[in-house]
Amino acid sequence: MDFSIRAANVDDCKDIARMLMELAEYEKVTDKVKISQKDLEQDGFSKNPFFHGIVAEVPEQHKTKEGHTKIGYALYFYSYSSWVGRAIYMEDLYVMPEFRGKGIGKALMSKVAQLGLAAGCRQLNFTVVDWNKSSLDFYFSQGCFDFTDKMGYHVMHCEGEELERLAQP
Amino acid sequence: MDFSIRAANVDDCKDIARMLMELAEYEKVTDKVKISQKDLEQDGFSKNPFFHGIVAEVPEQHKTKEGHTKIGYALYFYSYSSWVGRAIYMEDLYVMPEFRGKGIGKALMSKVAQLGLAAGCRQLNFTVVDWNKSSLDFYFSQGCFDFTDKMGYHVMHCEGEELERLAQP
């Protein structure tokens, strides 16, 4: 199947918000998603954006029955490792179920890797849930390694009231 | 003990590089550290910096026997969560051993939280190694939670030849 991958622009936020929620449904975490199309527009497409995105599109003849031609996306931002320096972080990688198995996810991830290398990054980072075996297998097949298992690294979060309290001097 | 916390500037990179290596020695990963003072200068203090930093300083009368007054630091960058939106990531938090237990680490982390909230971030993220019980206890005492244990999130990396290969279309 033909598909193309290009940089996301502000007009893609409606589709990204839709797919972001599809991904959350797949992960059974829709109750945790607090962001909207408007947040994506403001946070990704204003001055000093907090993230960047790419979208995968199929031609009109392959559109879904709901009429969607934007059928996959990745969000990423530049980050830093105090070991290897410049790094790129892939926050989301998603392809709609009916378009999986056609190399679109690989192409999206490859594009993120290209963008990272072009910016001088020496590492691509992301997180994955341990129950998502098909994704884990895919990532391992691409030469990725699990720092949680290998080095004992754990992902920590602080948010809400705890974050407010932490910010008190 | 008096101490102050301020934004890092390019002249702090020598001390940050020194402390970054002290942290790596503590974690027994000095062989993994590929970055230098020059990298820090270029990556943190050019246009579109990949990270920001803060340093903790003590007055001259408390300097170390080697003459150091910059005795702690944190590196951070802005990131994005597809669940909660704007986020801040704390890459490193370090206080020299002889200055621990005086609230300097808490003050550095608190400053990162303040900077995040001021930029509209709703989440502070970081990683910690599971064998570092004293740090884990400190983070838990500050209301942080472990996404690896709670949600099964694993930290994944891709670098070196694997990253180059992934970037091939």
Side-chain angles (χ1 to χ4, degrees), chain A residues 17-54:
Chain A
R18 166 182 60 81
M19 290 190 281
L20 193 152
M21 194 53 77
E22 291 172 17
L23 175 56
E25 283 164 10
Y26 174 68
E27 294 190 334
K28 298 187 176 62
V29 290
T30 50
D31 59 312
K32 296 194 186 301
V33 177
K34 310 297 181 198
I35 65 172
S36 63
Q37 177 185 341
K38 191 177 167 193
D39 291 320
L40 292 171
E41 289 169 357
Q42 287 180 339
D43 297 339
F45 302 93
S46 307
K47 197 166 172 270
N48 300 321
F50 276 71
F51 69 89
H52 309 280
I54 51 177

Side-chain angles (χ1 to χ4, degrees), chain A residues 34 43 83 123 125 157 159, chain B residues 34 83 123 125 157 159:
Chain A
K34 310 297 181 198
D43 297 339
W83 295 358
Q123 192 174 63
N125 301 319
H157 286 344
E159 60 187 45
Chain B
K34 309 297 181 197
W83 295 357
Q123 192 174 62
N125 302 318
H157 286 344
E159 60 187 43

Side-chain angles (χ1 to χ4, degrees), chain B residues 16-88:
Chain B
I16 293 173
R18 166 182 61 80
M19 291 190 281
L20 194 152
M21 194 54 78
E22 291 172 17
L23 175 56
E25 283 164 9
Y26 174 67
E27 294 190 334
K28 299 187 177 61
V29 290
T30 50
D31 60 312
K32 297 197 185 297
V33 178
K34 309 297 181 197
I35 65 172
S36 64
Q37 177 184 340
K38 191 179 167 191
D39 291 321
L40 292 171
E41 289 168 359
Q42 288 179 338
D43 297 340
F45 301 94
S46 308
K47 197 166 172 268
N48 300 322
F50 276 71
F51 69 88
H52 309 279
I54 52 177
V55 292
E57 277 182 312
V58 291
E60 276 288 324
Q61 67 266 31
H62 293 305
K63 70 182 175 191
T64 68
K65 62 180 188 295
E66 296 84 8
H68 300 305
T69 54
K70 298 170 192 175
I71 51 79
Y73 78 102
L75 298 187
Y76 65 94
F77 49 83
Y78 295 100
S79 64
Y80 206 70
S81 157
S82 53
W83 295 357
V84 302
R86 297 180 184 197
I88 189 165

